[in-house]
Amino acid sequence: MPEIAKPRILSGMRPTGRLHLGNYVGALQNWIQLQNPYESYHFVADWHMLTTDYASTGELQTDTREMVTDWLAAGLDPSKCTMFVQSRLPEHAELHLLFSMISSLGWLERVPTYKEQLENVKDRDLHTYGFLGYPVLQSADILMYKPYGVPVGEDQVPHVELTREISRRFNHLYQPVFPEPEALLTPSPRLPGTDGRKMSKSYGNAIFLSDPPEVASKKVAGMMTDPARKRRWDKGNPDVCPVFDFHKILSSTEVVERVNRECRTAEIGCVECKKLMAHSVNEFLDPIRERRRAFEQNPNQIWEILEAGTCRARVVAQTTMNEVRSAMNLVHK
Ligand code: TRP
Ligand code: SF4
């Protein structure tokens, strides 16, 4: 049977080290589901990390290795998708430079994440050339592979929009080289951190994919619940409880229905409800932990997988760059 070419997708993640359940639900799970129907490219966006963390690069290699270990442990399969490291492909830097010539300052200054972070991040100076160019670099990452779609969360949609603008302007000014990729929104149900805020490493409210069972259980036992339910006999409201958000994602329908019923009537107490929760979390994490152990025993394997992926990505990147240079008259005739 002739193989029908699958549509291509591409997405990146900044190397933040070990991933937590929020990263899994918000991105990784989607990547894993898409690796069969699509030709998938996934990369470590280490240059993007530098746009904000340029002053602390000490953990870059460890963070890259730990994050990719989690990708693999969670089920991203190197025989199905191409995994690579952005900084191993200078073609991305070249395309970023060329795109910077045609990216209007107005577009960049209007990107919501830019304004937000400038205002909110106080411990680093983000008034840099590199940080303003963050979405231009992202556009280069994306358009290099001419993908059909880009699986991302809601917050990244403006970056994909800008990518489409740059693509249109390039094609209009020179030659039609690039597609206009779609943002493929991650269907992400709410998974808060243990304190009810957004799960984030920096808030200290995260449950990591690599947490041992005792650690995960302890974090669940300390989770915030419905604040109005102070005593065992108080009736609760699961709709405002982060533990119930977890149940909805990780527990069986039976458990979800039971908690939904018995919390409201005070038949079930929070301690027992959390025990059920810890059980679901650990049942979910067990196979991930097991695969992680196998990779930890041979960390070289991670670099080999990334190297093989980088080689495959390079073939595509070089082809695109030849077209780009020729469209812009950057080659001797
Ligand atoms: N900016 C993305 C994030 O913070 C990471 C990223 C970099 C990316 N380049 C990309 C995502 C290209 C999709 C496509 O999550
Ligand atoms: Fe939350 Fe469960 Fe307690 Fe209800 S019983 S408040 S869902 S922890």
Side-chain angles (χ1 to χ4, degrees):
M1 274 243 297
E3 226 180 84
I4 299 167
K6 296 175 179 177
R8 183 179 288 169
I9 56 165
L10 165 127
S11 192
M13 226 183 250
R14 283 170 299 166
T16 53
R18 294 180 177 226
L19 298 179
H20 52 64
L21 280 170
N23 301 129
Y24 179 84
V25 172
L28 198 48
Q29 183 176 34
N30 200 29
W31 292 9
I32 292 162
Q33 280 162 1
L34 296 177
Q35 63 184 340
N36 289 320
Y38 290 97
E39 184 200 353
S40 303
Y41 285 73
H42 294 298
F43 69 97
V44 179
D46 51 353
W47 282 338
H48 276 103
M49 196 68 172
L50 296 185
T51 63
T52 53
D53 294 36
Y54 53 83
S56 43
T57 61
E59 299 300 310
L60 259 185
Q61 298 308 313
T62 320
D63 284 347
T64 297
R65 195 191 61 234
E66 293 287 8
M67 181 172 81
V68 175
T69 304
D70 280 335
W71 288 3
L72 296 161
L76 214 56
D77 180 346
S79 72
K80 291 180 185 160
C81 70
T82 299
M83 294 175 230
F84 65 96
V85 180
Q86 183 185 38
S87 65
R88 299 279 292 116
L89 289 157
E91 288 83 358
H92 287 233
E94 184 183 355
L95 192 55
H96 169 240
L97 175 96
L98 297 174
F99 282 171
S100 76
M101 308 300 168
I102 62 169
S103 301
S104 118
L105 274 181
W107 290 350
L108 298 179
E109 286 161 349
R110 272 197 301 275
V111 170
T113 41
Y114 178 67
K115 286 187 289 193
E116 245 169 59
Q117 297 223 53
L118 272 193
E119 278 165 29
N120 296 333
V121 176
K122 292 282 170 240
D123 56 338
R124 284 157 290 178
D125 182 7
L126 295 185
H127 292 88
T128 62
Y129 178 52
F131 186 60
L132 178 67
Y134 187 110
V136 182
L137 179 57
Q138 185 161 349
S139 302
D141 298 336
I142 296 171
L143 292 174
M144 186 72 83
Y145 301 90
K146 303 184 181 178
Y148 152 77
V150 190
V152 284
E154 195 91 55
D155 63 316
Q156 296 294 312
V157 170
H159 294 166
V160 180
E161 291 289 323
L162 189 96
T163 302
R164 297 160 62 95
E165 303 258 22
I166 291 178
S167 168
R168 273 196 293 277
R169 185 169 279 183
F170 185 99
N171 292 346
H172 173 74
L173 287 171
Y174 312 109
Q175 278 167 30
V177 171
F178 295 114
E180 284 183 37
E182 312 276 343
L184 305 177
L185 275 187
T186 308
S188 59
R190 194 181 114 88
L191 187 83
T194 52
D195 60 359
R197 292 186 292 171
K198 182 182 151 84
M199 191 181 285
S200 157
K201 200 175 195 168
S202 55
Y203 290 166
N205 64 0
I207 297 176
F208 292 91
L209 299 183
S210 49
D211 277 343
E214 326 75 73
V215 174
S217 300
K218 216 171 143 200
K219 286 182 179 173
V220 172
M223 274 179 81
M224 207 195 85
T225 58
D226 171 3
R229 194 173 183 196
K230 294 203 179 61
R231 280 168 287 246
R232 171 65 187 82
W233 56 85
D234 290 337
K235 289 174 182 160
N237 178 7
D239 297 329
V240 299
C241 178
V243 178
F244 191 56
D245 286 321
F246 269 71
H247 274 304
K248 281 186 282 191
I249 290 169
L250 294 171
S251 298
S252 64
T253 346
E254 288 82 2
V255 171
V256 175
E257 280 170 6
R258 179 177 160 210
V259 169
N260 195 20
R261 215 174 36 244
E262 298 187 359
C263 171
R264 294 176 201 278
T265 55
E267 269 169 276
I268 191 172
C270 294
V271 173
E272 192 186 349
C273 180
K274 285 172 168 175
K275 276 195 186 130
L276 296 174
M277 185 66 259
H279 181 78
S280 303
V281 168
N282 283 325
E283 213 162 56
F284 169 76
L285 291 180
D286 270 338
I288 298 181
R289 291 181 183 121
E290 201 168 310
R291 281 194 293 266
R292 181 175 239 284
R293 261 194 297 279
F295 285 111
E296 277 169 347
Q297 268 155 26
N298 183 5
N300 270 340
Q301 221 183 322
I302 305 291
W303 300 118
E304 284 160 14
I305 288 168
L306 288 172
E307 195 48 43
T310 300
C311 286
R312 284 204 296 276
R314 183 170 290 126
V315 176
V316 181
Q318 285 180 343
T319 309
T320 303
M321 286 319 295
N322 284 334
E323 290 172 24
V324 167
R325 291 185 207 113
S326 141
M328 295 180 78
N329 280 316
L330 292 165
V331 275
H332 303 295
K333 297 241 167 70

